[in-house]
Amino acid sequence: MSTVSPVADPNSPAASVAAAAADPAVGEAGFGFYVHVPFCVSRCGYCDFNTYTASELGAGVSRDTYASIVRAEIRDAASRMSAHEGRKPEVDTVFFGGGTPTLLSAADLASILAEIDDSFGLAAGYEATTEANPESVDADYLAELYDGGFTRLSVGMQSTASHVLKILDREHSPQKALNAVEYAHKAGFEHVSLDLIYGTPGETAADFEASLRAAVDAGADHVSAYALIVEDGTALARRIRAGQVPQPSDDVAADRYLAAEAVLSEAGFHWYEVSNWARSEAAQCRHNLLYWEGGHWWGAGPGAHSHLPGVRWWNHKHPSTYGAALAEGLPAAGHELLSEDDRYLERILLRTRLASGLPLSLLRPTGRRAAEQASADGLAVIEDGRLKLTLRGRLLADAVVRDLTS
């Protein structure tokens, strides 16, 4: 029997979630879980994610109790998904992000994964990934994590240049990230990803190429490379406004992207999404593909976003507010009902970025004409009924999407 009572307000987030959970389309394109762990030892200067240092948490919140709170949301999610003629799909992928998930003990992370299995069921061959900062893991920790059911590790390396890490306010040495890959492989992880940031003020072309080659030589089978974005309200934005460091250059970012494609493709990696390369299809991040291909997921933890057919909602951001709201019911701070135009825009935006391409059948007539123009302009090719970006098109992906959806 479900413990979820019928909702009185038909316009509430809970009512929208209940209606979406009953949609037979739930899980048709896969179902995932995102678990947000909002703790960080210190805040990186470029980061605007929903993260908190110990001094920012306030009363009633601690790492020690966090896993039990998230497990309670997972149980509540299962109850809501099965209530009112809904159904609980098996979970294909799980992704722990942050923050720094590995500031929790490996046992805590494993207990959350076990709760997902107990409450929903993990599908055969599931993928379970956690992000990790290099300084937060060692060989014993990763061995315990692997034994706890995790299948994939994503390490935030960012750069192997010490002066770049200093600008980014990263706490680890360049070698720490490479050590994490070694420890992960020894623990049994088959798939290990390294994240890079390019275009940091002071970074040279040689710095970035050295980072790329270090990632390849370390034995990672997946690399994500993102241009540095200066977000309002961050320490980096304040430093740029004060003239202490220069504004990142779009032209430099384009050059760095071309370098990533050259070095990684030479090493046997293939791009499968504009910012992601993998050595094989098995090395691709299936959880992120779930997002990009229109799947559904439940986001647990403060600030986490969820998506079921036709509805998106997001949890309260501060851990203490989130915990209090969860004690009263669905911890949603807000939600939105997705119109057909919303869904159309998201389908085009996300699938255009994939190497597998955008099916032309998804496009409206104006979009098909734009696709033909993109092909004529050398930004894409049309193969097997799909629009696929060229290298130049990947550099201009946002403009291509804008034309396809205008």
Side-chain angles (χ1 to χ4, degrees), residues 15-29 31 80-89 296 307-311 338 343:
S16 297
V17 171
D23 192 314
V26 171
E28 280 187 352
F31 187 76
R80 291 178 187 279
M81 290 292 290
S82 59
H84 317 310
E85 300 183 1
R87 62 186 181 86
K88 293 188 302 181
H296 304 120
H307 174 241
L308 291 178
V311 63
L338 303 175
R343 298 193 208 192

Side-chain angles (χ1 to χ4, degrees), residues 358-382:
L358 169 71
L360 296 178
S361 59
L362 297 179
L363 289 168
R364 295 168 179 169
T366 54
R368 294 189 186 188
R369 290 193 291 272
E372 292 171 359
Q373 187 62 52
S375 178
D377 292 340
L379 300 177
V381 296
I382 296 176

Side-chain angles (χ1 to χ4, degrees), residues 199-225:
T200 301
E203 176 197 67
T204 66
D207 290 333
F208 184 57
E209 182 171 343
S211 298
L212 289 165
R213 296 197 182 281
V216 169
D217 293 343
D221 64 354
H222 186 284
V223 173
S224 299

